[in-house]
């Protein structure tokens, strides 16, 4: 009861708004939120696994129900739900159901997002304690369960039980925190908007491929329903257990169908089912595998239109990503990389060891499947994005136009200033030339005066009229002078 109070009680003071900038929580209240975020997914996940085991045990025939046994078995079952390989009587079990894993991932992400909102975190740095609390709790709980299961019929490797749940919870918490607070500033500042468009288109392409795989799996199961119905036994308990097992492994089957639709196929022991090849063998008697074919069909390659349509859809979604066709193709390449990475993750989690018998191992060719999926997205997607989008050179953005206008205004201002500077320079040169001319004129006058003084040609000022008279009116005087004397 105390745990449920911690999980449900609201530590905020009355009147506070969730996630509001003014929310102020005490240290004790923050610790309560972190404690609830750490224990919430563990309690809920463990309870869900125990409930499923209890239902299967109660409905199974010739089985004695034991609450203690169910609670003890729920620990290794929780590890298996988080993709920790377990051992059953010394035999490895690595083909683990993906549906509980997706549920645990969604639960951890939702818990982290809710804790971030209750704490009022507005940045990833502020929400980092939530991630540490959720991931650390999963890692420690997985280690405790693995250590407690040592010596029992179901065992797990302690280092793997510590690392795998912690890593899964960390990724889920990161997704939840990102949903509430956005990407960290360091990542957001470095992301190219075109790359973001490519990431979204890649998520769309992966979802479409999974839908194609699900459609093929559904049709194959419906066509082979007579075989599927024969697998169920008349007893309700056994049939219910097989039904639950099939539901838990549905995402694994859809991933195998996706690999088949794209071409590489999958294998279960000696059975190998591919688009262009088939090798038959015995398969486990579970309803989820009732739709497996008995032989190769010539029309299977026609299913390749499905991944082609997925690539076309990705290219169509990116036709307006950029006016430059080369940039659109780059976005398609990013989308193809996202799809390839998704195929690697899903293919790795869907396969694994299945005991030591004839059905071991169950595998999807991850390397080939990822490369083929990348090609199915990039090749038709690039053609679609190239021909369906614009081909004219992009117009400059308004910021560039404003920069150009400012540059032109700056050029005009510089030209006016330069013209004024030239005029001032010419005026100063003319003033200097006038000053130099006046100085030279004064110097020439002084030089002539000095020269006349040295030659004795300079006469007093009062004799000036006599000189004028000799020049202007003294004709007779000049006339009495002899030519030779005049020349002298």
């Amino acid at each position: 009861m105390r745990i449920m109070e911690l999980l449900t009680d609201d530590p905020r003071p009355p009147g506070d708004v969730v996630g509001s900038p003014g929310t102020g929580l005490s240290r004790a209240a923050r610790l309560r939120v972190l404690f609830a975020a750490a224990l919430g997914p563990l309690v809920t996940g463990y309870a869900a696994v125990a409930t499923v085991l209890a239902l299967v045990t109660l409905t199974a025939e010739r089985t004695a129900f034991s609450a203690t046994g169910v609670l003890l078995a729920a620990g290794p079952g929780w590890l298996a739900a988080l993709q920790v390989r377990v051992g059953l009587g010394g035999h490895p079990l690595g083909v683990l159901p993906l549906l509980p894993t997706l549920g645990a991932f969604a639960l951890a992400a939702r818990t982290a997002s809710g804790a971030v909102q209750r704490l009022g975190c507005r940045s990833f740095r502020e929400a980092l304690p939530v991630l540490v609390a959720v991931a650390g709790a999963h890692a420690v709980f997985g280690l405790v369960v693995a250590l407690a299961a040592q010596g029992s019929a179901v065992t797990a490797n302690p280092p793997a039980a510590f690392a795998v749940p912690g890593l899964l919870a960390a990724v889920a918490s990161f997704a939840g925190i990102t949903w509430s607070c956005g990407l960290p500033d360091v990542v957001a500042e470095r992301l190219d908007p075109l790359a973001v468009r490519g990431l979204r288109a890649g998520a769309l392409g992966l979802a479409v491929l999974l839908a194609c795989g699900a459609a093929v799996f559904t049709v194959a199961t419906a066509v082979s329903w007579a075989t599927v119905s024969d697998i169920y036994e008349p007893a309700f308990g056994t049939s219910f257990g097989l039904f639950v097992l099939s539901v838990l492994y549905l995402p694994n089957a859809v991933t195998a169908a996706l690999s088949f639709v794209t071409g590489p196929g999958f294998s279960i022991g000696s059975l190998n089912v591919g688009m262009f090849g088939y090798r038959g063998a015995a398969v486990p008697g579970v309803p989820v595998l009732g739709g497996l074919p008995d032989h190769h069909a010539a029309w299977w390659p026609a299913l390749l239109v499905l991944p082609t349509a997925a690539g076309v859809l990705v290219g169509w979604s990116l036709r307006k990503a950029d006016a430059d066709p080369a940039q659109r193709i780059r976005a398609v390449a990013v989308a193809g990389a996202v799809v390839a990475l998704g195929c690697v993750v899903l293919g790795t989690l869907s396969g694994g060891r299945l005991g030591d018998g004839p059905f071991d191992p169950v595998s999807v060719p991850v390397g080939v499947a990822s490369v083929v999926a990348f090609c199915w997205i990039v090749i038709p997607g690039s053609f679609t994005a190239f021909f369906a989008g614009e081909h004219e050179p992009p117009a400059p953005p308004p910021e560039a136009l404003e920069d150009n206008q400012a540059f032109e205004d700056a050029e005009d201002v510089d030209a006016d200033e330069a013209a004024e500077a030239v005029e001032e320079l010419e005026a100063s040169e003319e003033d200097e030339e006038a000053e130099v001319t006046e100085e030279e004129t004064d110097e020439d006058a002084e030089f002539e005066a000095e020269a006349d003084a040295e030659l004795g040609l300079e006469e007093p000022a009062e004799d000036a009229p006599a000189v004028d008279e000799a020049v202007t009116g003294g004709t007779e005087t000049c006339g009495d002078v002899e030519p030779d004397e005049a020349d002298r």
Side-chain angles (χ1 to χ4, degrees):
M1 292 299 295
R2 180 59 179 166
I3 294 177
M4 295 306 297
E5 291 178 0
L6 290 172
L7 296 179
T8 57
D9 190 17
D10 192 352
R12 293 172 290 137
D16 282 344
V17 181
V18 175
S20 63
T23 300
L25 296 178
S26 64
R27 183 178 181 85
R30 292 179 63 87
L31 290 177
R32 289 173 60 187
V33 173
L34 294 176
F35 186 72
L39 292 184
L42 301 181
V43 174
T44 305
Y46 189 87
V49 173
T51 301
V52 172
L53 291 178
L55 289 176
V56 173
T57 305
L58 286 172
T59 56
E61 296 181 353
R62 296 183 298 274
T63 301
F65 176 78
S66 172
T68 304
V70 169
L71 293 177
L72 292 177
W78 181 85
L79 290 178
L82 272 73
Q83 294 297 311
V84 179
R85 192 180 73 171
V86 297
L88 300 175
H91 302 284
L93 177 60
V95 187
L96 302 173
L98 271 179
L99 185 62
T101 306
L102 297 176
F105 185 93
L107 181 60
R110 186 174 182 275
T111 302
S113 177
V116 165
Q117 293 179 6
R118 297 179 71 182
L119 292 174
C121 301
R122 291 174 293 181
S123 66
F124 190 86
R125 183 183 298 274
E126 296 178 357
L128 191 59
V130 177
L131 187 148
V132 174
V134 176
H138 279 73
V140 172
F141 186 70
L143 179 61
V144 171
V145 171
L147 293 177
Q150 296 296 316
S152 62
V154 183
T155 59
N157 186 17
F162 176 83
V164 176
L167 179 61
L168 181 67
V171 175
S173 301
F174 179 83
I177 294 172
T178 302
W179 181 266
S180 298
C181 301
L183 287 173
D185 296 336
V186 178
V187 178
E189 292 175 356
R190 298 178 181 272
L191 281 180
D192 183 7
L194 194 63
V196 175
R197 292 287 301 273
L199 292 175
R200 294 175 179 174
L204 173 64
L206 182 61
V208 172
L209 288 178
L210 287 173
C212 294
V216 171
F217 170 78
T218 303
V219 172
T221 304
V223 171
S224 306
W225 185 250
T227 303
V228 174
S229 61
D230 291 340
I231 296 176
Y232 287 105
E233 297 183 5
F236 174 77
T238 305
S239 298
F240 179 75
L242 292 175
F243 174 76
V244 171
L245 185 66
S246 298
V247 171
L248 295 179
Y249 276 94
L250 272 179
N252 303 63
V254 171
T255 302
L258 183 154
S259 181
F260 170 76
V261 168
T262 54
F266 58 92
S267 63
I268 302 175
S270 299
L271 175 69
N272 194 339
V273 180
M275 183 67 67
F276 302 98
Y278 180 87
R279 184 178 61 191
V283 296
V286 291
V288 72
L289 299 178
L292 288 177
D294 296 331
H295 55 82
H296 182 269
W299 58 269
W300 284 358
L303 296 175
L304 295 176
V305 70
L306 297 177
T308 304
V312 171
L313 181 61
V314 169
W316 182 261
S317 66
L318 294 173
R319 70 189 186 280
K320 297 181 181 180
D322 197 278
D324 187 3
Q327 298 299 321
R328 296 198 296 270
I329 293 176
R330 185 167 68 91
V332 173
V334 173
V338 172
V339 172
L341 179 61
C343 290
V344 169
V345 174
L346 291 175
T348 302
L349 297 179
S350 297
R353 298 292 304 276
L354 187 59
D356 299 318
F359 309 130
D360 179 47
V362 177
S363 63
V364 172
V366 174
V368 178
S370 61
V371 173
V372 171
F374 177 82
C375 294
W376 281 121
I377 296 297
V378 171
I379 295 177
S382 297
F383 276 99
T384 304
F386 183 86
F387 291 105
E390 300 178 4
H391 292 274
E392 297 180 358
E399 293 80 3
L401 295 177
E402 293 178 358
D403 294 341
N404 292 334
Q405 184 64 33
F407 182 75
E408 292 176 359
D409 295 341
E411 286 186 342
D412 295 339
V413 173
D414 294 341
D416 295 339
E417 293 178 354
E420 293 177 359
V422 171
E423 292 178 359
E424 293 177 358
L425 181 60
E426 292 178 352
S428 61
E429 290 179 352
E430 292 177 357
D431 294 341
E432 291 178 358
E433 291 178 357
E435 292 178 358
V436 170
T437 304
E438 292 178 358
E439 292 177 357
E440 291 179 353
T441 303
D442 296 340
E443 292 177 357
D444 292 342
E446 292 177 0
F447 179 76
E448 291 177 357
E450 292 177 359
D452 292 342
E454 291 178 359
L455 295 175
L457 298 177
E458 184 177 0
E459 294 182 358
E462 58 271 8
D463 296 338
V467 175
D468 295 337
E469 183 180 356
V471 174
T472 57
T475 306
E476 295 179 356
T477 304
C478 292
D480 295 338
V481 179
E482 296 294 331
D484 295 335
E485 294 178 359
D487 292 337
R488 286 194 299 271

